[in-house]
């Protein structure tokens, strides 16, 4: 690793003055940063062009004097001219840290990109030469820190002595603080009121003091269709807190790797024709892990409540008295609609949207779907790639129109997605040799409104018919 040319630190400004020389937008940008502190802010400029009234600042529309600079904690120069030169000269003469906006070579310090979760603050700096990179890193950190984490940090600080008196083991104390930060109950209570937050934190503390580890929890997390950037911010935060990640076969490795580096990873994959774990075994596994006081991320493809067998796992957790939380994800059908710009509901065309699984569907299901398609609803059929032609033929036999548009998206939401377009009758005419990956079959008049220009076209015999 290279050596730093700057030393990152936090500068104490409580009860002190910060001088900003300039009256335009560059000065306002610095005010937005400094106003997050308890410093007294003074603006000096011969011409005030920007409205500073939204901030607690003192504005002096006049020439700067040397005595204005004396005693300041920091000096920012955000304009050019005689006043700027005086401010720089006085700051250097008096040894006051100086920042000259957009002139790194004249700066004693740089203003970092800040993630504000007061009293928790994260500052990111690139030594002044790559501010865009700092903003991108800030966005990533913002995603990992829940909005209420600052209030919880304040709560933790107030409980420090009590925690130390009740939990003597350092590792056990760490587990308590991790549980405090990740607890949905504490987060909700703190958002309600400080008193409610303290009560919930004390309740959690009692549990940890009693058994040294505290009660575990299971987060049923939707991993989305597989693209890392379609994971929700909440899912990312919880993956970083999990002790164990229990994931399905369809969840790609890059998504699993977004979890905490030292988290245990357990694949309970269910591929077509091969189940390494039965559902009963999965239920037993997550209950056991949580009973050991562990935070378990149960990572499911798409949304956990849509064909994710979440209901069975929730029932097992309830029976065992294990806490759980549902974190929704982008379902594959919605990703397929986005990939093909298909409006699955469309005024005067489709008044509704039905998600169903084609695998194992009986005649009653197919008759019902055919009736729904005739009424104008859009169908999204999961797990039907191997039997797509068969399902299409049966839908037609139950009354669905052969000219109904059909769009099929394989690997929806991912960079390697592949689109196919046809009518229901054309799809029924022959089995399709699809590329590898999970598929969603969209059926309905609204499908014709999507963008299928790059899709394989059955009418042009672009489908590979088996």
């Amino acid at each position: 690793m290279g050596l730093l040319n700057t030393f990152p630190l936090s500068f104490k400004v409580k009860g002190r003055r910060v001088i900003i020389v300039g009256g335009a937008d560059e000065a306002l940008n610095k005010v937005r940063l400094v106003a997050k502190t308890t410093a007294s802010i003074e603006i000096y400029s011969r011409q005030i062009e920007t409205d500073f009234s939204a901030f607690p600042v003192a504005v002096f529309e006049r020439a700067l004097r040397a005595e204005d600079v004396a005693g300041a904690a920091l000096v920012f120069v955000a304009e050019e001219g005689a006043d700027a030169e005086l401010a720089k000269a006085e700051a250097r003469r008096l040894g006051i840290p100086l920042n000259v906006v957009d002139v790194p070579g004249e700066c004693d310090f740089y203003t970092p990109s800040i993630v504000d979760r007061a009293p928790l603050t994260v500052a990111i700096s690139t030594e002044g030469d790559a501010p865009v990179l700092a903003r991108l890193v800030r966005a990533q950190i913002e995603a990992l820190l829940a909005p209420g984490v600052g209030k919880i940090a304040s709560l933790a600080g107030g409980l420090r002595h009590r925690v130390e008196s009740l939990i003597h083991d350092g590792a056990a104390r760490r587990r308590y603080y991790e549980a405090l930060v990740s607890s949905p109950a504490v987060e909700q209570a703190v958002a309600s009121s400080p008193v409610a937050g303290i009560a919930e934190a004390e309740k959690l503390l009692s549990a940890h003091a009693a058994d040294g580890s505290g009660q575990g929890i299971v987060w049923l997390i939707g991993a989305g269709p597989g693209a890392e950037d379609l994971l929700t911010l909440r899912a990312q935060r919880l993956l970083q807190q999990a002790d164990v990640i229990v994931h399905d076969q369809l969840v790609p490795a890059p998504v699993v790797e977004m979890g905490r580096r030292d988290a245990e990873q357990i694949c309970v994959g269910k591929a077509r024709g091969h189940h390494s774990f039965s559902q009963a075994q999965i239920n037993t596994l997550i209950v056991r892990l949580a009973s050991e006081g562990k935070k378990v991320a149960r990572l499911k493809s798409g949304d956990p409540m849509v064909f994710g067998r979440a209901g069975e796992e929730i029932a097992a957790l309830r029976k065992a008295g294990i806490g759980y939380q549902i974190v929704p994800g982008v379902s594959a059908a919605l990703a397929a609609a986005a990939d093909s710009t298909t409006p699955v509901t469309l005024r005067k065309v489709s008044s509704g949207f039905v998600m169903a699984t084609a695998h194992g569907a009986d005649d009653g299901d197919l008759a019902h779907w055919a009736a729904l398609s005739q009424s104008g609803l859009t169908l999204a059929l999961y797990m039907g790639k191997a039997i797509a032609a068969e399902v299409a033929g049966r839908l037609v036999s139950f009354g669905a129109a052969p000219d109904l548009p059909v769009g099929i998206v394989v690997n929806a939401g991912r960079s390697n997605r592949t689109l196919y377009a046809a009518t229901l009758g054309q799809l029924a005419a022959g089995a399709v040799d699809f590329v590898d990956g999970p598929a969603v079959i969209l059926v309905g008049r609204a499908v014709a409104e999507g963008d299928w220009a790059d899709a394989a076209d059955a009418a042009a015999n672009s489908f590979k018919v088996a």
Side-chain angles (χ1 to χ4, degrees):
M1 295 180 63
L3 297 176
L4 295 174
N5 293 317
T6 59
F7 184 76
L9 51 81
S10 295
F11 197 92
K12 187 181 291 185
V13 295
K14 180 180 179 181
R16 303 189 64 186
R17 298 164 54 240
V18 172
I19 302 300
I20 300 177
V21 180
D25 288 344
E26 290 83 0
L28 180 62
N29 291 335
K30 297 306 177 185
V31 168
R32 289 192 178 102
L33 286 174
V34 183
K36 296 177 182 293
T37 74
T38 57
S40 173
I41 307 171
E42 298 176 2
I43 310 295
Y44 292 90
S45 180
R46 303 186 192 203
Q47 184 175 1
I48 301 297
E49 302 175 1
T50 300
D51 183 6
F52 294 97
S53 61
F55 300 93
V57 300
V59 178
F60 299 91
E61 193 168 7
R62 60 168 173 79
L64 182 74
R65 302 166 187 153
E67 57 265 31
D68 295 328
V69 180
L74 300 172
V75 173
F76 290 90
V77 174
E79 67 177 16
E80 298 178 348
D83 291 343
E85 294 305 316
L86 175 61
K88 289 189 283 186
E90 284 299 296
R92 288 171 180 143
R93 184 179 71 83
L94 297 170
I96 300 171
L98 172 68
N99 177 279
V100 182
V101 176
D102 293 334
V103 189
E106 292 196 74
C107 292
D108 297 322
F109 68 95
Y110 305 129
T111 52
S113 187
I114 293 175
V115 179
D116 181 15
R117 296 291 190 271
L120 174 66
T121 303
V122 180
I124 305 102
S125 176
T126 56
E127 301 194 358
D129 57 355
V132 174
L133 178 59
R135 286 195 292 271
L136 290 173
V137 173
R138 173 192 170 189
Q140 294 294 320
I141 296 175
E142 287 268 14
L144 294 175
L145 295 177
V149 73
K151 293 180 179 179
I152 297 176
S154 294
L155 180 63
L159 288 171
R160 182 169 62 87
H161 294 301
R162 180 160 168 74
V163 172
E164 290 175 354
S165 68
L166 292 175
I167 305 176
H168 304 292
D169 179 67
R173 281 199 298 269
R174 177 183 59 80
R175 287 194 294 270
Y176 168 71
Y177 285 122
E178 287 178 346
L180 182 71
V181 171
S182 62
S183 168
V186 172
E187 184 177 0
Q188 293 170 10
V190 167
S192 173
S193 74
V195 174
I198 291 172
E200 196 63 43
E202 287 279 4
K203 180 180 175 182
L204 186 65
L205 177 57
S206 297
H208 276 256
D211 63 14
S213 63
Q215 178 67 62
I217 188 171
V218 176
W219 300 308
L220 284 82
I221 300 174
E228 300 98 306
D229 57 353
L230 286 181
L231 206 63
T232 66
L233 301 184
R234 183 179 299 175
Q236 290 182 48
R237 288 196 295 267
L238 295 180
L239 281 172
Q240 282 294 315
Q241 297 167 17
D243 300 308
V244 186
I245 300 173
V246 179
H247 63 94
D248 288 342
Q249 185 77 30
L250 288 177
V251 179
V255 174
V256 179
E257 294 299 328
M258 294 180 76
R260 204 171 78 189
R261 184 172 299 175
D262 60 344
E264 181 183 1
Q265 298 177 7
I266 303 174
C267 179
V268 292
K270 294 182 181 179
R272 181 170 169 262
H274 175 70
H275 291 186
S276 57
F277 279 72
S278 69
Q279 187 59 53
Q281 289 174 320
I282 295 173
N283 297 348
T284 301
L285 174 65
I286 61 175
V287 167
R288 176 179 62 79
L289 292 170
S291 298
E292 294 171 356
K294 294 178 180 177
K295 297 185 289 293
V296 182
R298 175 68 177 102
L299 199 55
K300 295 172 174 287
S301 180
D303 183 281
M305 309 303 277
V306 180
F307 307 123
R309 309 279 300 261
E312 297 170 49
E313 294 175 15
I314 291 170
L317 294 169
R318 285 174 177 167
K319 184 177 179 180
I322 301 294
Y324 63 89
Q325 181 184 359
I326 310 299
V327 182
V330 177
S331 186
L334 300 180
D339 285 344
S340 58
T341 67
T342 297
V344 291
T345 60
L346 185 63
R347 194 160 58 93
K348 296 183 179 180
V349 177
S350 173
S351 61
F353 176 48
V354 178
M355 291 184 282
T357 173
H359 183 71
D362 59 24
D363 285 350
D365 295 324
L366 289 156
H368 180 56
W369 298 344
L372 292 174
S373 69
Q374 289 176 298
S375 69
L377 271 66
T378 304
L379 305 179
L381 303 180
Y382 288 66
M383 294 173 270
K385 188 172 68 173
I387 54 173
E390 177 190 345
V391 169
R394 292 168 70 191
L395 284 172
V396 171
S397 71
F398 283 109
D403 67 343
L404 271 179
V406 174
I408 303 168
V409 183
V410 184
N411 295 317
R414 306 186 193 186
S415 59
N416 64 336
R417 63 179 177 270
T418 304
L419 278 60
Y420 300 85
T423 64
L424 198 61
Q426 289 168 340
L427 181 57
V432 180
D433 184 13
F434 295 103
V435 297
D436 289 337
V440 175
I441 304 172
L442 300 174
V443 181
R445 298 295 176 194
V447 175
E449 303 299 323
D451 181 2
W452 301 91
D454 296 328
D457 187 351
N461 298 316
S462 294
F463 269 150
K464 296 179 182 178
V465 180

